[in-house]
């Protein structure tokens, strides 16, 4: 009897412990993103991940066996670590930079094809959690592929010629490259509406992924990676690449979130904030590292930073300067409870084409101030070509302000005068105008020279094309020097500022009107009249 009584609690204790472990796992999974749990389960059950994982292991094992047999006894004396490492990276890059991004694209696209996206949109899950869950699922698959290749990298470390710094940097940067490609694939998948457009985007995505794969293979089998010094310069360059990739991941993620967010909700504030933070962190990291290391600030560095910032602002500005001029009712309700002074300072980061133009002017002024501060350190007599680089950078800032003002004026005009105008209509019209301004004068000049054999001199009519003016803005062409071209660009930028001044003032009045008309937080909502109540009359 005693033995039976002793055995019973032990069995019960084991069962209770197992139940506790299961309940902890269930609680842990419940706290995670449900999209992540769903996507991971579907990925592990699907054939794509299983076949890719198996082929990765088989290819790495095949490379190890065949490479060891071909090397023979020379494996102990010659530098075979580079060849083995590059051969292992190729199948890993195929899995993480081609297969995983394409599976992420198909996963998001499948939500629309299977009519399950509408079910997700009406749940409590927001667009941010949906995109974050998709991206986190891709990250889990990437880390599993890295875990599968870890033993083979350990085998490489035992060979002659193994260098730790290039290997660690290659693997570390590869993770960010794969995540950036997954973010781009998710963003591209949100653009697909019709079946024909979906097929075209899929072809473009595959072509882009294969192009990135070719670059990775070329870099891995070249001696440029292994010949880099392992000092602070190599670490700083690797950190800069990782910083750029992190900014690309966050920006593409925000753009994908904006695409699947309701049209009446705030779509652009997240993109604007990410872009501003990335520019501030990038500038602080670049110049702060140079100052900390005591390295001189070369004109090429300043010029490259300004041009990269202009390209990023042009990419973001095309989206934010073509929005409707007024905020939706939902966004106005959200902004109404913000203190008015704070909402005034936050105007460039709120939706609206005029506010987008303010956003562009704020960052253009910041880059101009940077050029004014750094230009005394870059004396023309100290570094040759400094004046030309600064003139071209100033021209880029002027063109950015001009075309941002043009898009803001176009958006305001179309939304107010064209019935049923949508954002897509404004963006297509703006794209046509920008292409006409950039390529029109150059195309007309080439056609006149080819068809009529007429040599066209540079004139005021070509000032709208940065393709024609920027390469020659420093050296001068046909009697025009860089100062004269910049003197023509400044009135154009000022003209578009005056045309958008009314929209800027109206945006400030809109925010102030929302503040006045909105009830305070402590005020209870007005009670509706009861139709069944007796009338006093």
């Amino acid at each position: 009897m005693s033995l039976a009584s002793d055995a019973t609690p032990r069995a019960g204790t084991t069962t209770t412990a197992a139940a506790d472990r299961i309940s902890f796992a269930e609680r842990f999974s419940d706290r995670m993103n449900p999209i992540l749990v769903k996507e991971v389960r579907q990925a592990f059950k699907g054939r794509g991940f299983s076949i890719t994982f198996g082929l990765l292991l088989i290819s790495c094992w095949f490379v190890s066996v065949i490479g060891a047999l071909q090397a023979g006894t020379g494996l102990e004396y010659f530098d075979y670590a580079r060849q083995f490492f590059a051969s292992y990276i190729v199948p890993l890059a195929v899995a993480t930079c081609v297969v995983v991004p394409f599976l992420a694209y198909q996963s998001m696209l499948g939500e629309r094809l299977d009519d399950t996206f509408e079910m997700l949109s009406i749940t409590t899950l927001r667009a941010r959690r949906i995109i974050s869950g998709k991206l986190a699922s891709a990250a889990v698959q990437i880390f599993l592929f890295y875990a599968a290749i870890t033993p083979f990298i350990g085998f490489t470390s035992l060979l002659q010629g193994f260098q730790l710094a290039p290997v660690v940097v290659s693997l570390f940067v590869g993770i960010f490259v794969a995540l950036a490609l997954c973010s781009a694939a998710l963003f591209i998948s949100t653009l697909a509406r019709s079946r024909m457009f979906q097929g075209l985007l899929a072809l473009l995505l595959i072509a882009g992924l294969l192009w990135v794969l070719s670059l990775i293979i070329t870099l891995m089998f070249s001696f440029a990676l292994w010949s880099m010094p392992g000092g602070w310069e190599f670490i700083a360059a690797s950190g800069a690449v990782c910083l750029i990739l992190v900014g690309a991941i966050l920006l593409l993620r925000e753009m994908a979130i904006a695409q699947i967010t309701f049209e009446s909700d705030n779509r652009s504030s997240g993109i604007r904030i990410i872009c501003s933070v990335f520019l501030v962190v990038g500038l602080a990291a670049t110049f702060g590292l140079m100052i900390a290391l005591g390295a001189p600030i070369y004109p090429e560095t300043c010029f490259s930073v300004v041009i990269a910032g202009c390209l990023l602002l042009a990419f973001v500005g095309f989206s934010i300067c073509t929005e409707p001029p007024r905020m939706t009712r939902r966004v106005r309700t959200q902004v109404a409870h913000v203190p008015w002074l704070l909402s005034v300072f936050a105007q460039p980061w709120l939706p609206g084409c005029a506010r987008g133009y303010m956003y562009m002017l704020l960052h253009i002024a910041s880059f101009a101030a940077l050029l004014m501060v750094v230009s005394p350190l870059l004396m023309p007599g100290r570094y040759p070509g400094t004046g030309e680089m600064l003139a071209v950078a100033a021209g880029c800032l002027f063109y950015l302000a001009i075309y941002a003002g043009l898009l803001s004026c176009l958006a305001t005009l179309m939304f107010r005068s064209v019935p049923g105008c949508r954002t897509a209509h404004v963006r297509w019209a703006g794209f046509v105008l920008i292409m006409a301004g950039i390529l029109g004068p150059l195309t007309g000049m080439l056609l006149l020279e080819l068809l009529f054999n007429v040599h066209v001199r540079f004139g005021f009519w070509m000032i709208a094309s940065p393709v024609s003016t920027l390469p020659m803005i420093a050296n001068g062409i046909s009697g025009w020097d860089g100062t004269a071209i910049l003197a023509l660009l400044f009135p154009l930028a000022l003209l578009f500022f005056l045309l958008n001044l009314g929209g800027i003032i109206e945006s400030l009045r809109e925010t102030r009107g929302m503040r006045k008309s909105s009830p305070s937080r402590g005020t209870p909502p007005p009670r509706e009249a009861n139709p069944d109540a007796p009338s006093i009359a």
Side-chain angles (χ1 to χ4, degrees):
M1 295 294 296
S2 60
L3 293 176
S5 61
D6 292 337
T8 302
R10 291 179 183 177
T13 304
T14 305
T15 305
T16 306
D20 291 339
R21 286 196 296 269
I22 294 174
S23 62
F24 173 76
E26 291 178 352
R27 289 196 302 270
F28 181 73
S29 62
D30 290 340
R31 293 181 179 179
M32 297 179 67
N33 193 326
I35 301 297
L36 170 61
V37 177
K38 179 182 77 71
E39 291 295 326
V40 169
R41 288 176 179 175
Q42 289 182 353
F44 289 167
K45 292 180 181 179
R47 295 181 180 179
F49 176 80
S50 303
I51 293 175
T52 306
F53 193 84
L55 290 177
L56 175 64
L57 293 177
I58 292 173
S59 60
C60 291
W61 177 84
F62 184 79
V63 167
S64 303
V65 173
I66 300 301
L69 291 177
Q70 289 183 350
T73 57
L75 199 64
E76 300 179 3
Y77 307 104
F78 299 100
D79 298 342
Y80 280 101
R82 300 176 182 177
Q83 290 81 357
F84 274 93
F85 179 74
S87 301
Y88 292 144
I89 288 296
V90 171
L92 178 64
V94 172
T96 57
C97 297
V98 177
V99 177
V100 176
F102 190 74
L103 291 178
Y105 171 81
Q106 283 189 329
S107 174
M108 192 64 199
L109 191 61
E111 302 288 352
R112 296 184 180 275
L113 296 178
D114 299 337
D115 295 332
T116 57
F117 182 76
E118 286 75 10
M119 297 296 296
L120 289 176
S121 60
I122 63 176
T123 59
T124 56
L125 294 175
R126 294 191 175 185
R128 187 174 302 276
R129 297 200 68 186
I130 295 175
I131 297 297
S132 299
K134 301 280 186 181
L135 188 60
S137 173
V140 170
Q141 299 179 46
I142 291 171
F143 284 119
L144 287 177
F145 288 131
Y146 267 76
I149 207 175
T150 301
F152 301 99
I153 303 298
F155 166 72
T156 308
S157 63
L158 302 177
L159 302 178
Q160 297 292 332
F162 180 81
Q163 299 180 20
L164 183 61
V167 171
V168 172
V169 169
S170 300
L171 295 175
F172 195 69
V173 173
I175 295 176
F176 291 103
V177 171
L179 289 176
L181 292 175
C182 292
S183 300
L186 289 174
F187 170 66
I188 293 175
S189 65
T190 59
L191 300 176
R193 301 296 180 183
S194 61
R195 293 298 180 94
M196 183 180 66
F197 198 39
Q198 291 170 3
L200 179 61
L201 289 178
L203 292 177
L204 293 177
L205 177 63
I206 293 174
L209 295 178
L210 293 178
W211 178 71
V212 174
L213 178 64
S214 65
L215 292 180
I216 294 174
I217 294 174
T218 304
L219 181 61
M220 286 295 105
F221 283 97
S222 65
F223 290 97
L225 177 65
W226 304 94
S227 60
M228 291 182 180
W232 284 104
E233 295 83 2
F234 182 72
I235 297 176
S238 304
V241 172
C242 292
L243 180 62
I244 293 173
L245 292 173
V246 169
I249 292 169
L250 296 177
L251 183 60
L252 290 170
R253 171 177 167 269
E254 287 295 331
M255 296 179 70
I257 292 171
Q259 287 293 322
I260 66 173
T261 305
F262 293 108
E263 294 185 1
S264 60
D265 209 341
N266 190 351
R267 287 185 165 189
S268 63
S269 292
I271 299 175
R272 303 185 191 199
I273 293 173
I274 290 295
C275 182
S276 299
V277 171
F278 177 67
L279 289 176
V280 171
V281 173
L283 292 175
T286 302
F287 292 99
L289 186 62
M290 288 183 177
I291 295 174
L293 296 178
I297 301 177
Y298 294 104
E300 293 83 0
T301 304
C302 184
F303 178 75
S304 302
V305 168
V306 173
I307 295 301
C310 288
L311 292 176
L312 179 60
L313 285 177
F315 179 70
V316 175
F318 181 79
S319 174
I320 64 178
C321 291
T322 53
E323 295 178 343
R326 296 182 61 85
M327 292 184 289
T328 60
R329 182 179 300 178
R330 177 179 294 185
V331 179
R332 290 199 300 267
T333 305
Q334 297 172 358
V335 179
H337 298 290
V338 179
W340 182 79
L341 185 61
L342 181 60
S343 63
V344 169
F345 285 105
Q347 284 293 313
W349 290 272
L350 294 177
C353 57
R355 298 180 183 91
Y357 179 65
M358 295 168 57
Y359 179 88
M360 298 294 292
L361 289 183
L362 176 63
H363 290 79
I364 290 172
S366 301
F367 277 109
L370 175 66
L371 291 178
M372 295 178 62
V373 171
V374 178
S375 57
L377 304 176
L378 307 174
M379 294 179 293
R382 185 177 180 183
Y383 301 109
T386 301
E388 291 80 358
M389 291 184 183
L390 294 179
V392 172
C396 292
L397 295 178
F398 276 123
Y399 275 112
L400 199 61
I402 290 170
Y403 281 106
L406 174 64
L407 289 176
S408 179
C409 291
L410 177 66
T412 304
L413 180 63
M414 290 187 65
F415 277 109
R416 290 180 178 178
S417 60
V418 179
C421 181
R422 300 180 65 87
T423 307
H425 303 155
V426 179
R427 288 175 179 172
W428 277 111
F431 179 77
V432 172
L433 278 179
I434 291 176
M435 289 297 103
I438 294 176
L439 302 178
L442 184 62
T443 305
M445 182 181 66
L446 293 177
L447 289 177
L448 289 176
E449 291 183 357
L450 291 176
L451 298 178
F452 302 99
N453 197 15
V454 177
H455 179 68
V456 181
R457 296 172 59 89
F458 181 83
F460 179 76
W461 63 280
M462 296 183 63
I463 198 66
S465 175
V467 179
S468 303
T469 57
L470 288 181
M472 307 174 186
I473 197 171
N475 300 325
I477 99 182
S478 301
W480 295 74
D481 58 356
T483 306
I485 298 176
L486 293 179
L488 290 176
L489 292 176
F490 178 74
L492 288 177
L494 183 60
L495 174 63
F496 281 106
F497 173 75
L498 295 177
L499 292 176
N500 286 279
L501 188 59
I504 295 174
I505 296 175
E506 185 179 352
S507 300
L508 295 175
R509 289 178 177 175
E510 181 185 9
T511 308
R512 188 175 182 86
M514 289 185 301
R515 179 67 181 173
K516 289 181 177 180
S517 61
S518 63
S520 61
R521 289 189 176 183
T523 305
R527 297 181 62 182
E528 298 182 356
N530 187 4
D532 297 332
S535 175
I536 298 179

